[in-house]
Amino acid sequence: MYVNSVFIDDTFAEAFPMRAARIVVTAVNARWAREAALKLTGFATSVIACKCEAAIERELESHETPDARPGISVLLFAMDTEGLGKRLVERIGQTVITCPTTSCFDGLPGAEQRLTPGKLLRVFGDGFQGSKVVGNDRFWRVPVMDGECLLQESFGVAKGVGGGNFIILGADSRSTLAAAEASVAAIANMEGVILPFPGGIARSGSKVGSRRYKGLAASTNDAFCPTLRPLTASSLPDDVDSVLEIVLDGLDEESIRRAMRAGIAAACLPGIRAITAGNYGGKLGPHHFPLRSILDEKAEAGARP
Amino acid sequence: MSDRVTLTLRAPLQESIEADAIVPSAFATLGEAEIGALPVWAGRARRVLGDYFQVSGGRSTTVRIVGDVRRAHGIATGMAAGDLVVDGDAGARFAFEMSGGRADVLGSAGDDAGVAMSGGSLHVRGDAGDRVGAGLAGASRGMTGGEIVVGGSVGAHAGARMRRGLLFVGGNAGELAARAIIAGTVIVIGRVGPEPAFANKRGSLIVAGGVDVPATYRHACDYEPPHVRLALTYLARRYDISLGAGLVDGTYRRYCGDASTVARGEILEWIRE
């Protein structure tokens, strides 16, 4: 299959179950909501070393937030519910409470499973904290030096999907980066999905374990490194000299499928030779995303010119 | 089973009646005839609902009362679920001990509306009398949950001894508003009468239209309280209340008190946009 003369590999992306929370941060203006969200999602590219994956989902207009202020929606993923709870406490405590004018709300009100980071973080108030129930939800008022930080007590937990991906194979680094940027732009602000790597793009795709170093959880994906073409069992065609990967985490399979469809279509630009995906033969996780069937609606099947 | 039960007053009430049998959650299993046979007390005389109301529909928790029932007391007593609309004024003790569902009075309500409420939503479009959202006489707690929204003004002792919940008053409140509240929130858009939030422990009295702050409260600061913004935004959206942006975004003067108790409560006085 080809899309805009770009070969779409007959393979699938393999993803695994994660636990997810949606955090809504509001502030006096969009700038300060974003400042908090950027810190909240810092150092959260991969669970391999960061213990969680997080990124900004989208900006929220004031009519979309509980307190009618500008806000940012963040998705945070961890491997299990316990880990998710710890990350919420650490990150909200250190990045939202500390940020001027912010308040922090749950973005998954319908979720049955709940974590209570607000209940734990309230003790920062050293006994001066107070709570309010608005609607069916409890909020903690933690006194801080610019007034009060308002934290929702409980946050919903969703059964999310982590590790969705597609890999862009390009003729050179410039065109490959441009295609990846186009993918990120196409996916940006889509509901229910995030791209946790810097700017939404990963260059250091990894394989499980290491050929040389015992105990290493992950090491470079040598099969996709152009500089190693003659030194390893390379997966790269001769005319590919640069590879970038888009990794996606979503609240459900459909969110990832929708984002992959848009992202892959946007990446099929001049200079791109092929799009493929990372999988482990179906052994890593139960969520499989076949590239060609995802693209079915968008594909322009035909012979390569 | 029907979509709703409609109770239409046959004739203007010439006497006060105890109509605590009108409870939407209880109508779920009752047919039209059974609802009409429910007891109603007129003084010491036992009558039935059908004597006063024409009943149409049955086996539904959606109930509408048509007619002026300001002399019918105790409507929606112990209401736990369903929807009730009173198409006019309601009498005393409306939604007494309500624990769930939604009750909407399109006119005004008498004294003791929402007394001992523990959940659900009570919306009075007009005024309400004394002790709205308060407790039973002698009870240690008033309202322990739920929401009461009054579009107009309320009488004395509004929200007295509230333990939890939200009481919103679009107009003025009489004397001793939020008296001895343990926690919870009372919001008054108009002015409050003398001795507000007396013996307040941990509750919040928020006033936009003027308040004489008792000497047992101490000024803390002027700021934009985020929980007030949240509560007002929530109320405006849920009850379609028109609140000026100046109230939601505004600056409030915080007073801590009441010093006669644990002094963990507050009066928040709106001072500017």
Side-chain angles (χ1 to χ4, degrees), chain B residues 60-174:
Chain B
S60 172
T61 58
T62 302
V63 178
R64 187 173 192 95
I65 300 175
V66 179
D68 183 353
V69 290
R70 75 182 70 180
R71 301 187 77 173
H73 308 307
I75 293 172
T77 292
M79 179 174 171
D83 285 282
L84 171 63
V85 175
V86 178
D87 207 351
D89 294 340
R93 279 172 279 113
F94 185 84
F96 169 68
E97 289 190 332
M98 180 178 184
S99 62
R102 294 191 308 176
D104 195 351
V105 179
L106 302 187
S108 295
D111 293 339
D112 298 307
V115 158
M117 184 174 182
S118 61
S121 153
L122 167 57
H123 191 182
V124 179
R125 309 298 177 107
D127 300 327
D130 293 342
R131 295 177 298 280
V132 59
L136 281 168
S140 61
R141 293 178 172 189
M143 191 174 169
T144 57
E147 298 158 6
I148 300 177
V149 172
V150 180
S153 295
V154 299
H157 299 266
R161 294 193 182 277
M162 176 188 285
R163 171 65 183 83
R164 190 180 296 117
L166 181 58
L167 168 58
F168 173 89
V169 179
N172 301 320

Side-chain angles (χ1 to χ4, degrees), chain A residues 72-129:
Chain A
I72 298 279
S73 171
V74 162
L75 293 180
L76 190 147
F77 293 78
M79 291 308 292
D80 53 40
T81 305
E82 183 186 359
L84 184 67
K86 289 178 180 173
R87 304 294 90 76
L88 285 171
V89 171
E90 291 166 357
R91 287 172 178 263
I92 294 173
Q94 296 304 309
T95 66
V96 180
I97 291 182
T98 57
C99 184
T101 79
T102 54
S103 296
C104 191
F105 303 102
D106 169 40
L108 295 174
E112 286 184 15
Q113 190 176 12
R114 313 292 299 176
L115 290 164
T116 54
K119 193 172 185 177
L120 298 172
L121 289 166
R122 80 189 197 283
V123 299
F124 180 72
D126 198 20
F128 294 103
Q129 72 275 8

Side-chain angles (χ1 to χ4, degrees), chain B residues 41-265:
Chain B
W41 292 89
R44 297 177 65 187
R46 186 181 190 279
R47 304 228 169 85
V48 294
L49 208 55
D51 293 341
Y52 298 96
F53 295 92
Q54 179 186 332
V55 181
S56 74
R59 294 189 172 82
S60 172
T61 58
T62 302
V63 178
R64 187 173 192 95
I65 300 175
V66 179
D68 183 353
V69 290
R70 75 182 70 180
R71 301 187 77 173
H73 308 307
I75 293 172
T77 292
M79 179 174 171
D83 285 282
L84 171 63
V85 175
V86 178
D87 207 351
D89 294 340
R93 279 172 279 113
F94 185 84
F96 169 68
E97 289 190 332
M98 180 178 184
S99 62
R102 294 191 308 176
D104 195 351
V105 179
L106 302 187
S108 295
D111 293 339
D112 298 307
V115 158
M117 184 174 182
S118 61
S121 153
L122 167 57
H123 191 182
V124 179
R125 309 298 177 107
D127 300 327
D130 293 342
R131 295 177 298 280
V132 59
L136 281 168
S140 61
R141 293 178 172 189
M143 191 174 169
T144 57
E147 298 158 6
I148 300 177
V149 172
V150 180
S153 295
V154 299
H157 299 266
R161 294 193 182 277
M162 176 188 285
R163 171 65 183 83
R164 190 180 296 117
L166 181 58
L167 168 58
F168 173 89
V169 179
N172 301 320
E175 63 183 5
L176 287 161
R179 173 179 61 81
I181 53 173
I182 302 162
T185 305
V186 177
I187 302 173
V188 181
I189 299 302
R191 187 173 173 78
V192 295
E195 297 189 69
F198 168 75
N200 174 7
K201 287 186 175 174
R202 293 179 181 79
S204 300
L205 173 62
I206 299 154
V207 185
V211 54
D212 295 325
V213 179
T216 47
Y217 280 78
R218 291 180 298 170
H219 175 242
C221 67
D222 297 347
Y223 79 129
E224 295 161 18
H227 71 288
V228 174
R229 162 183 281 280
L230 177 71
L232 292 178
T233 302
Y234 167 80
L235 289 166
R237 287 175 179 169
R238 173 150 193 209
Y239 295 94
D240 199 21
I241 299 167
S242 180
L243 294 168
L247 290 180
V248 178
D249 295 333
T251 299
Y252 290 76
R253 182 157 292 163
R254 175 175 151 96
Y255 298 92
C256 298
D258 184 338
S260 66
T261 64
V262 294
R264 298 293 300 277

